[in-house]
PDB file of all heavy atoms in Angstrom:
ATOM      1  N   ARG A 239      10.590 -27.541  43.724  1.00 96.00           N
ATOM      2  CA  ARG A 239       9.924 -28.735  44.273  1.00 96.00           C
ATOM      3  C   ARG A 239       9.659 -29.824  43.115  1.00 96.00           C
ATOM      4  O   ARG A 239       9.743 -31.084  43.374  1.00 96.00           O
ATOM      5  CB  ARG A 239       8.661 -28.364  44.990  1.00 96.00           C
ATOM      6  CG  ARG A 239       8.977 -27.485  46.206  1.00 96.00           C
ATOM      7  CD  ARG A 239       7.777 -27.377  47.025  1.00 96.00           C
ATOM      8  NE  ARG A 239       7.336 -28.779  47.723  1.00 96.00           N
ATOM      9  CZ  ARG A 239       6.508 -28.955  48.541  1.00 96.00           C
ATOM     10  NH1 ARG A 239       5.734 -27.939  48.963  1.00 96.00           N
ATOM     11  NH2 ARG A 239       6.299 -30.102  48.984  1.00 96.00           N
ATOM     12  N   SER A 242      11.963 -32.867  42.397  1.00 98.00           N
ATOM     13  CA  SER A 242      12.029 -34.192  43.156  1.00 98.00           C
ATOM     14  C   SER A 242      11.442 -35.247  42.245  1.00 98.00           C
ATOM     15  O   SER A 242      11.874 -36.460  42.438  1.00 98.00           O
ATOM     16  CB  SER A 242      11.205 -34.021  44.514  1.00 98.00           C
ATOM     17  OG  SER A 242       9.908 -33.886  44.232  1.00 98.00           O
ATOM     18  N   GLU A 243      10.616 -34.959  41.301  1.00 98.00           N
ATOM     19  CA  GLU A 243      10.035 -36.060  40.442  1.00 98.00           C
ATOM     20  C   GLU A 243      11.305 -36.639  39.674  1.00 98.00           C
ATOM     21  O   GLU A 243      11.362 -37.795  39.432  1.00 98.00           O
ATOM     22  CB  GLU A 243       8.951 -35.534  39.581  1.00 98.00           C
ATOM     23  CG  GLU A 243       8.125 -36.511  38.745  1.00 98.00           C
ATOM     24  CD  GLU A 243       8.832 -36.690  37.353  1.00 98.00           C
ATOM     25  OE1 GLU A 243       9.642 -35.827  36.916  1.00 98.00           O
ATOM     26  OE2 GLU A 243       8.563 -37.649  36.709  1.00 98.00           O
ATOM     27  N   VAL A 245      14.375 -36.718  40.473  1.00 98.00           N
ATOM     28  CA  VAL A 245      15.240 -37.531  41.251  1.00 98.00           C
ATOM     29  C   VAL A 245      14.608 -38.781  41.684  1.00 98.00           C
ATOM     30  O   VAL A 245      15.243 -39.858  41.646  1.00 98.00           O
ATOM     31  CB  VAL A 245      15.831 -36.689  42.476  1.00 98.00           C
ATOM     32  CG1 VAL A 245      16.552 -37.568  43.453  1.00 98.00           C
ATOM     33  CG2 VAL A 245      16.601 -35.622  42.055  1.00 98.00           C
ATOM     34  N   THR A 246      13.423 -38.702  42.182  1.00 98.00           N
ATOM     35  CA  THR A 246      12.591 -40.000  42.682  1.00 98.00           C
ATOM     36  C   THR A 246      12.608 -40.954  41.534  1.00 98.00           C
ATOM     37  O   THR A 246      12.931 -42.276  41.788  1.00 98.00           O
ATOM     38  CB  THR A 246      11.317 -39.557  43.104  1.00 98.00           C
ATOM     39  OG1 THR A 246      11.330 -38.653  44.140  1.00 98.00           O
ATOM     40  CG2 THR A 246      10.517 -40.839  43.630  1.00 98.00           C
ATOM     41  N   PHE A 265      20.769 -45.291  49.707  1.00 98.00           N
ATOM     42  CA  PHE A 265      20.716 -43.915  49.199  1.00 98.00           C
ATOM     43  C   PHE A 265      21.385 -42.960  50.169  1.00 98.00           C
ATOM     44  O   PHE A 265      20.914 -42.904  51.316  1.00 98.00           O
ATOM     45  CB  PHE A 265      19.348 -43.602  48.857  1.00 98.00           C
ATOM     46  CG  PHE A 265      19.173 -42.223  48.330  1.00 98.00           C
ATOM     47  CD1 PHE A 265      19.352 -41.893  46.881  1.00 98.00           C
ATOM     48  CD2 PHE A 265      18.850 -41.041  49.101  1.00 98.00           C
ATOM     49  CE1 PHE A 265      19.293 -40.674  46.429  1.00 98.00           C
ATOM     50  CE2 PHE A 265      18.762 -39.788  48.546  1.00 98.00           C
ATOM     51  CZ  PHE A 265      18.939 -39.582  47.232  1.00 98.00           C
ATOM     52  N   ALA A 289      16.273 -31.484  52.484  1.00 98.00           N
ATOM     53  CA  ALA A 289      16.773 -32.398  51.344  1.00 98.00           C
ATOM     54  C   ALA A 289      16.044 -31.916  50.020  1.00 98.00           C
ATOM     55  O   ALA A 289      16.611 -32.168  49.003  1.00 98.00           O
ATOM     56  CB  ALA A 289      16.513 -33.861  51.785  1.00 98.00           C
ATOM     57  N   TRP A 290      14.905 -31.386  50.241  1.00 98.00           N
ATOM     58  CA  TRP A 290      14.086 -31.045  48.961  1.00 98.00           C
ATOM     59  C   TRP A 290      14.820 -30.032  48.188  1.00 98.00           C
ATOM     60  O   TRP A 290      14.721 -29.920  46.945  1.00 98.00           O
ATOM     61  CB  TRP A 290      12.783 -30.362  49.398  1.00 98.00           C
ATOM     62  CG  TRP A 290      12.895 -29.085  50.043  1.00 98.00           C
ATOM     63  CD1 TRP A 290      12.944 -28.921  51.476  1.00 98.00           C
ATOM     64  CD2 TRP A 290      12.951 -27.831  49.588  1.00 98.00           C
ATOM     65  NE1 TRP A 290      13.110 -27.621  51.802  1.00 98.00           N
ATOM     66  CE2 TRP A 290      13.200 -26.870  50.715  1.00 98.00           C
ATOM     67  CE3 TRP A 290      12.795 -27.220  48.319  1.00 98.00           C
ATOM     68  CZ2 TRP A 290      13.148 -25.466  50.516  1.00 98.00           C
ATOM     69  CZ3 TRP A 290      12.945 -25.770  48.151  1.00 98.00           C
ATOM     70  CH2 TRP A 290      13.116 -25.003  49.238  1.00 98.00           C
ATOM     71  N   PHE A 292      17.826 -30.363  47.210  1.00 98.00           N
ATOM     72  CA  PHE A 292      18.586 -31.193  46.236  1.00 98.00           C
ATOM     73  C   PHE A 292      17.626 -32.003  45.379  1.00 98.00           C
ATOM     74  O   PHE A 292      18.110 -32.886  44.629  1.00 98.00           O
ATOM     75  CB  PHE A 292      19.623 -32.215  47.062  1.00 98.00           C
ATOM     76  CG  PHE A 292      20.666 -31.454  47.774  1.00 98.00           C
ATOM     77  CD1 PHE A 292      20.376 -30.761  49.010  1.00 98.00           C
ATOM     78  CD2 PHE A 292      21.917 -31.463  47.383  1.00 98.00           C
ATOM     79  CE1 PHE A 292      21.277 -30.084  49.717  1.00 98.00           C
ATOM     80  CE2 PHE A 292      22.826 -30.909  48.061  1.00 98.00           C
ATOM     81  CZ  PHE A 292      22.584 -30.138  49.155  1.00 98.00           C
ATOM     82  N   GLY A 293      16.447 -31.696  45.462  1.00 98.00           N
ATOM     83  CA  GLY A 293      15.445 -32.557  44.756  1.00 98.00           C
ATOM     84  C   GLY A 293      15.195 -33.921  45.305  1.00 98.00           C
ATOM     85  O   GLY A 293      14.704 -34.726  44.674  1.00 98.00           O
ATOM     86  N   VAL A 294      15.523 -34.027  46.578  1.00 98.00           N
ATOM     87  CA  VAL A 294      15.345 -35.212  47.229  1.00 98.00           C
ATOM     88  C   VAL A 294      14.077 -35.253  48.146  1.00 98.00           C
ATOM     89  O   VAL A 294      13.864 -34.426  49.033  1.00 98.00           O
ATOM     90  CB  VAL A 294      16.581 -35.638  48.237  1.00 98.00           C
ATOM     91  CG1 VAL A 294      16.325 -36.775  49.125  1.00 98.00           C
ATOM     92  CG2 VAL A 294      17.861 -35.690  47.370  1.00 98.00           C
ATOM     93  N   ASP A 295      13.104 -36.074  47.775  1.00 98.00           N
ATOM     94  CA  ASP A 295      11.850 -36.290  48.471  1.00 98.00           C
ATOM     95  C   ASP A 295      11.980 -37.580  49.311  1.00 98.00           C
ATOM     96  O   ASP A 295      11.703 -38.622  48.821  1.00 98.00           O
ATOM     97  CB  ASP A 295      10.733 -36.347  47.448  1.00 98.00           C
ATOM     98  CG  ASP A 295       9.314 -36.515  48.120  1.00 98.00           C
ATOM     99  OD1 ASP A 295       9.286 -36.864  49.432  1.00 98.00           O
ATOM    100  OD2 ASP A 295       8.313 -36.272  47.476  1.00 98.00           O
ATOM    101  N   LEU A 296      12.377 -37.393  50.532  1.00 98.00           N
ATOM    102  CA  LEU A 296      12.621 -38.627  51.392  1.00 98.00           C
ATOM    103  C   LEU A 296      11.345 -39.454  51.627  1.00 98.00           C
ATOM    104  O   LEU A 296      11.366 -40.621  51.782  1.00 98.00           O
ATOM    105  CB  LEU A 296      13.311 -38.243  52.668  1.00 98.00           C
ATOM    106  CG  LEU A 296      14.630 -37.620  52.655  1.00 98.00           C
ATOM    107  CD1 LEU A 296      15.192 -37.020  53.877  1.00 98.00           C
ATOM    108  CD2 LEU A 296      15.677 -38.781  52.186  1.00 98.00           C
ATOM    109  N   VAL A 297      10.296 -38.874  51.739  1.00 98.00           N
ATOM    110  CA  VAL A 297       9.031 -39.613  51.935  1.00 98.00           C
ATOM    111  C   VAL A 297       8.797 -40.518  50.711  1.00 98.00           C
ATOM    112  O   VAL A 297       8.478 -41.719  50.855  1.00 98.00           O
ATOM    113  CB  VAL A 297       7.828 -38.628  52.157  1.00 98.00           C
ATOM    114  CG1 VAL A 297       6.490 -39.496  52.268  1.00 98.00           C
ATOM    115  CG2 VAL A 297       8.114 -37.859  53.474  1.00 98.00           C
ATOM    116  N   ALA A 298       8.911 -39.877  49.487  1.00 98.00           N
ATOM    117  CA  ALA A 298       8.704 -40.721  48.343  1.00 98.00           C
ATOM    118  C   ALA A 298       9.774 -41.834  48.231  1.00 98.00           C
ATOM    119  O   ALA A 298       9.462 -42.989  47.812  1.00 98.00           O
ATOM    120  CB  ALA A 298       8.801 -39.885  47.064  1.00 98.00           C
ATOM    121  N   LEU A 299      11.058 -41.402  48.489  1.00 98.00           N
ATOM    122  CA  LEU A 299      12.128 -42.512  48.407  1.00 98.00           C
ATOM    123  C   LEU A 299      11.955 -43.631  49.492  1.00 98.00           C
ATOM    124  O   LEU A 299      12.360 -44.616  49.140  1.00 98.00           O
ATOM    125  CB  LEU A 299      13.471 -41.762  48.510  1.00 98.00           C
ATOM    126  CG  LEU A 299      13.969 -40.801  47.393  1.00 98.00           C
ATOM    127  CD1 LEU A 299      15.265 -40.235  47.731  1.00 98.00           C
ATOM    128  CD2 LEU A 299      13.790 -41.455  46.031  1.00 98.00           C
ATOM    129  N   GLY A 300      11.297 -43.337  50.503  1.00 98.00           N
ATOM    130  CA  GLY A 300      10.991 -44.320  51.531  1.00 98.00           C
ATOM    131  C   GLY A 300      10.207 -45.460  50.976  1.00 98.00           C
ATOM    132  O   GLY A 300      10.350 -46.679  51.494  1.00 98.00           O
ATOM    133  N   ASP A 301       9.476 -45.150  49.943  1.00 98.00           N
ATOM    134  CA  ASP A 301       8.577 -46.280  49.411  1.00 98.00           C
ATOM    135  C   ASP A 301       9.456 -47.109  48.441  1.00 98.00           C
ATOM    136  O   ASP A 301       9.044 -48.056  47.868  1.00 98.00           O
ATOM    137  CB  ASP A 301       7.453 -45.677  48.599  1.00 98.00           C
ATOM    138  CG  ASP A 301       6.479 -45.025  49.496  1.00 98.00           C
ATOM    139  OD1 ASP A 301       6.328 -45.574  50.561  1.00 98.00           O
ATOM    140  OD2 ASP A 301       5.578 -44.139  49.106  1.00 98.00           O
ATOM    141  N   PHE A 306      19.139 -46.077  53.902  1.00 98.00           N
ATOM    142  CA  PHE A 306      19.531 -44.622  53.744  1.00 98.00           C
ATOM    143  C   PHE A 306      20.720 -44.446  54.526  1.00 98.00           C
ATOM    144  O   PHE A 306      20.807 -44.889  55.763  1.00 98.00           O
ATOM    145  CB  PHE A 306      18.444 -43.732  54.117  1.00 98.00           C
ATOM    146  CG  PHE A 306      17.256 -43.794  53.259  1.00 98.00           C
ATOM    147  CD1 PHE A 306      16.234 -44.891  53.485  1.00 98.00           C
ATOM    148  CD2 PHE A 306      17.044 -42.861  52.291  1.00 98.00           C
ATOM    149  CE1 PHE A 306      15.201 -44.910  52.504  1.00 98.00           C
ATOM    150  CE2 PHE A 306      15.958 -42.902  51.351  1.00 98.00           C
ATOM    151  CZ  PHE A 306      15.017 -44.005  51.582  1.00 98.00           C
ATOM    152  N   SER A 328      10.803 -39.364  57.988  1.00 98.00           N
ATOM    153  CA  SER A 328      10.464 -39.257  56.640  1.00 98.00           C
ATOM    154  C   SER A 328      10.464 -40.435  55.860  1.00 98.00           C
ATOM    155  O   SER A 328       9.580 -40.647  55.034  1.00 98.00           O
ATOM    156  CB  SER A 328      11.612 -38.348  56.044  1.00 98.00           C
ATOM    157  OG  SER A 328      11.625 -37.019  56.679  1.00 98.00           O
ATOM    158  N   VAL A 329      11.364 -41.408  56.085  1.00 98.00           N
ATOM    159  CA  VAL A 329      11.418 -42.548  55.274  1.00 98.00           C
ATOM    160  C   VAL A 329      10.722 -43.692  55.730  1.00 98.00           C
ATOM    161  O   VAL A 329      10.397 -44.651  55.069  1.00 98.00           O
ATOM    162  CB  VAL A 329      12.982 -42.981  54.845  1.00 98.00           C
ATOM    163  CG1 VAL A 329      13.666 -41.794  54.336  1.00 98.00           C
ATOM    164  CG2 VAL A 329      13.542 -43.408  56.207  1.00 98.00           C
TER     165      VAL A 329
END
Side-chain angles (χ1 to χ4, degrees):
R239 297 195 63 178
S242 66
E243 187 269 344
V245 172
T246 301
F265 179 83
W290 64 273
F292 293 73
V294 173
D295 179 344
L296 290 169
V297 175
L299 292 182
D301 289 337
F306 293 82
S328 295
V329 303

